[in-house]
DNA sequence: CGCCCCATGTAAGACGTTACATGATTGA
DNA sequence: TCAATCATGTAACGTCTTACATGGGGCG
């Protein structure tokens, strides 16, 4: 009865709605015009997703009675929605997150500071860092094993993946350092 | 009647089958055990996908009558399948490829050398490089515009994306250089 | 014999894509 | 008034996920 799953799009919407109550149209604009193009801006994806979130009690919509009478529904998150968002963000990072779920981890991190606070953000980074180290080791091993059997483009593609991981790892260090500097500076 | 679309999984299967005729089980093993974990290894995804490819005349299966009598269907690509694979690989790279289609481009490149030859591989790289430069410019601009309105984790996540692009760009240079060196060396 | 791996499949359901439809409002 | 944009929706379709089912074969 309870925990039916939330799709990637669902989490993206939930996170955005926590930042600022918005209409479906607003959200679609974000997906079509910003760097969040990984998410579908099509009405056939967004509106049903919002409906599902509402049915699960994670968001609530209210009709806006602004100047014009053009109907426009503004959604905002509920306490339950915020709780789900938190749960999603602080989930321990797995190898699976690195191998399959393309950039879902990054979205979780992007939302993390405002939803669960900077301490949790750093924790997330450290968890990610640890998994990346493992993942890198696995990839390196696989490359070494398969190298001789690959075409040049095959090997290069593999190396691209490896470099991407290394770049991520370097980024986690930079990100952690950024937070630590922040802490030393103004605690405001 | 003709050109119904092929899914990402479909192209992955087609590319693997060009490398080596395999059974559905073999292919699933590749997805579950190698770096190609982005693709589903579940029977509910792989077998129907193979069936679709077969119905479109892109692959053909033949029952193996090996030592044991355990049924096992080996698939191999048809000329039509190879043609579709080529078309997919040499498609011009778009901004959309960079923003949405996570690593589809990389798969295309991985297969490219053996399917369309090293010259086309380099062309693909140069095309990718050009699009990456544009994409980087767009991202930088967006970051500059939104920077002040973002949380630290939001900004860092964005920067992670940027760094990823830069890493890709650097990789294209390395990859192109690798091919050029190759050409100078042994033309064998 | 029981257990695990090989190897294939199917069925239900969730989700996204594509395309179409509707109506209100703004601006030329 | 006509077109474009705002804003929401729906229907058909394809594909993936999840879970279950089936049988052969090797091994202890």
């Amino acid at each position: 009865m309870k925990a039916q799953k939330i799709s990637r799009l669902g989490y993206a919407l939930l996170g955005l709605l926590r930042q600022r109550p918005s209409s479906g149209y607003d959200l679609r604009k974000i997906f079509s015009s910003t760097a969040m193009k990984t998410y579908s801006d099509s009405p056939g994806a967004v509106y049903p997703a919002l409906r599902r979130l509402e049915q699960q009690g994670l968001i609530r919509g209210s009709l806006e009675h602004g100047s014009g009478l053009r109907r426009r529904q503004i959604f905002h998150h509920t306490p339950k929605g915020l709780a789900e968002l938190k749960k999603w963000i602080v989930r321990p990072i797995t190898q699976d997150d690195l191998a399959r779920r393309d950039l879902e981890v990054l979205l979780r991190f992007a939302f993390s500071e405002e939803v669960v606070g900077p301490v949790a953000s750093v924790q997330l980074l450290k968890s990610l860092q640890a998994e990346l180290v493992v993942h890198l080791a696995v990839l390196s091993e696989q490359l070494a094993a398969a190298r001789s059997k690959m075409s040049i483009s095959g090997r290069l593609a593999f190396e691209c993946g490896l470099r991407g991981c290394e770049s991520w790892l370097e980024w986690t260090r930079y990100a952690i350092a950024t937070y630590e500097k922040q802490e030393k500076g103004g605690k405001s």
Side-chain angles (χ1 to χ4, degrees), chain A residues 138-148 150 155 158-159 162:
Chain A
V138 174
L139 286 180
S140 301
E141 205 178 321
Q142 288 189 348
L143 177 58
R147 189 180 190 109
S148 60
M150 291 197 235
R155 177 174 56 81
F158 203 122
E159 285 176 2
L162 253 172

Side-chain angles (χ1 to χ4, degrees), chain A residues 104-119:
Chain A
E104 191 174 332
V105 188
L106 207 55
L107 189 69
R108 284 165 57 185
F109 174 71
F111 289 144
S112 67
E113 184 180 326
E114 294 185 281
V115 176
V116 285
V119 175

Side-chain angles (χ1 to χ4, degrees), chain A residues 168-185:
Chain A
W168 264 56
L169 187 55
E170 208 180 310
W171 169 82
T172 59
R173 285 193 271 267
Y174 157 72
I176 291 169
T178 301
Y179 269 113
E180 278 169 357
K181 212 181 299 174
Q182 186 71 8
E183 201 168 330
K184 261 186 206 148

